[in-house]
Amino acid sequence: MINYMVTLSLEVNNDKWGEVRVTLVTLTVLYYPLSSGAGTYPPQSAMAIFNMSNYNTGPFILVGIPGLEQSHVWIGIPFCIIYIVAVAGNCILLYLIVVEHSLHKPMFFFLSLLAMTDLILSTAGVPKTLSIFWLGAREITFPGCLTQMFFLHYSFVLDSAILMAMAFDRYVAICLPLRYTNILTPKTIIKIVMGISFRSFCIILPDVFLLTRLPFCRTRIIPHTYCEHIGVARLACADISINIWYGFCVPIMTVISDVILIAVSYTLILCAVFRLPSRDARQKALGTCGSHVCVILMFYTPAFFSILAHRFGHNVSRTFHIVFANLYIVIPPALNPIVYGVKTKQIKDKVTLLFSSKGKE
């Protein structure tokens, strides 16, 4: 005959919004055989302990911008305007590249990929942020949190890889102009796109599994407007050393390697440009790189500033960090199509033609 004894351990939390949450922390099952005629525990009795907190079924709470809760409604207005500009600008850019045969070139193909990635980056974060600011929809499910985190980090790493590919395109166009069409064939471009997309996927996917292995038995309140890897991992009641090392080192080393390759490409480009005989030829060659350099600076400067501020800026307030992080996922996607529309003659002419023809109709 076997007897069982079950012990439940519950944790009751009353969060700042007045919601009472009950968490099942541990379920302990004691089972032991009864010796004949006796009801005592034998020394060999076994114990099975099941930690139920590994089942991450409860939702998380996204606070928004801590310290500015009273201003959320007003803060949401500029975010919404910038997001609309980002979506409209990148959609117009994609439309022009698709319909205009003169833009069916490697440079513009990479640009269309950058526009699609920018749409993913901004759309993964801004709509949820606006729902927090305007509707008070703070809850997000654990799968939803993982999905948002994946697409935010994936699009960031992919953006960096696309800028590296665009730098390679400019290097071939300026340093090896006679071999440009032979090197950057449609087949080669497809291989480059598949390679950088797969690389970005493989870098970010482990973040998802590193979070799913963690038990969340304490608070589920995230002081942010969206889910990001380390911010969610810090809520776990377990060792997160591997999350910190992988989540910080691997993506950052990947982006740094992209920056190094971009710097090498532009060093070779400048050497080739300054060897050109005429001033007009030099200006024309540099002009084709101007928009790309602007986009590179807009992407990497705030990214490295944010990383250094998180690492060394201990006196920088959390509110500033979160506001800056939100601006980062919406401002570069909004400015990139504007920069290319102003500085790239082919796109500028097509945009002017598009809106002038619409005006005549």
Side-chain angles (χ1 to χ4, degrees), residues 290-347:
S291 54
H292 186 225
V293 172
C294 290
V295 170
I296 288 172
L297 292 175
M298 286 191 303
F299 180 80
Y300 287 113
T301 303
F304 284 114
F305 175 80
S306 180
I307 292 168
L308 293 174
H310 272 286
R311 180 65 183 85
F312 302 107
H314 302 295
N315 295 325
V316 180
S317 68
R318 176 182 289 180
T319 300
F320 175 82
H321 280 301
I322 295 173
V323 171
F324 191 83
N326 278 275
L327 291 175
Y328 183 71
I329 66 172
V330 68
I331 287 183
L335 292 180
N336 287 350
I338 296 173
V339 169
Y340 277 101
V342 171
K343 288 188 167 292
T344 307
K345 186 177 184 302
Q346 298 98 312
I347 295 177

Side-chain angles (χ1 to χ4, degrees), residues 65-83:
I65 303 177
L68 297 178
E69 288 88 351
Q70 302 300 321
S71 304
H72 275 176
V73 174
W74 301 107
I75 295 172
I77 295 174
F79 273 95
C80 182
I81 294 172
I82 299 171
Y83 176 64

Side-chain angles (χ1 to χ4, degrees), residues 61-260:
I61 303 295
L62 292 168
V63 173
I65 303 177
L68 297 178
E69 288 88 351
Q70 302 300 321
S71 304
H72 275 176
V73 174
W74 301 107
I75 295 172
I77 295 174
F79 273 95
C80 182
I81 294 172
I82 299 171
Y83 176 64
I84 291 172
V85 171
V87 172
N90 284 290
C91 287
I92 291 172
L93 194 59
L94 287 170
Y95 171 77
L96 290 174
I97 293 173
V98 169
V99 301
E100 293 293 340
H101 292 288
S102 61
L103 299 180
H104 292 179
K105 298 176 181 177
M107 171 184 172
F108 298 107
F109 181 81
F110 289 128
L111 180 56
S112 66
L113 188 62
L114 182 68
M116 287 188 287
T117 308
D118 282 343
L119 285 173
I120 295 172
L121 177 64
S122 56
T123 303
V126 177
K128 180 60 181 176
T129 299
L130 293 178
S131 71
I132 295 170
F133 288 169
W134 290 344
L135 304 177
R138 294 183 171 91
E139 284 197 356
I140 184 170
T141 63
F142 185 63
C145 189
L146 292 178
T147 302
Q148 185 186 53
M149 179 211 72
F150 173 80
F151 281 107
L152 283 170
H153 293 334
Y154 172 77
S155 54
F156 173 80
V157 175
L158 184 57
D159 259 345
S160 177
I162 294 168
L163 292 175
M164 178 186 65
M166 295 174 77
F168 175 71
D169 169 79
R170 291 299 84 203
Y171 162 75
V172 176
I174 294 174
C175 298
L176 305 168
L178 299 179
R179 299 175 56 193
Y180 182 77
T181 54
N182 293 329
I183 294 175
L184 288 174
T185 62
K187 187 176 180 179
T188 302
I189 293 171
I190 291 173
K191 287 181 179 179
I192 292 173
V193 172
M194 294 296 292
I196 61 177
S197 300
F198 183 69
R199 185 198 74 163
S200 303
F201 180 83
C202 291
I203 289 170
I204 300 303
L205 186 62
D207 286 347
V208 176
F209 293 106
L210 287 173
L211 284 180
T212 55
R213 73 181 180 88
L214 295 174
F216 295 95
C217 54
R218 293 198 295 261
T219 180
R220 288 174 173 264
I221 298 174
I222 303 174
H224 212 303
T225 56
Y226 57 78
C227 296
E228 51 94 17
H229 177 217
I230 301 301
V232 177
R234 283 175 177 158
L235 302 180
C237 48
D239 181 30
I240 61 169
S241 300
I242 188 172
N243 294 74
I244 293 174
W245 281 105
Y246 185 89
F248 181 80
C249 294
V250 175
I252 295 304
M253 292 305 297
T254 304
V255 172
I256 289 175
S257 66
D258 292 343
V259 172
I260 292 172

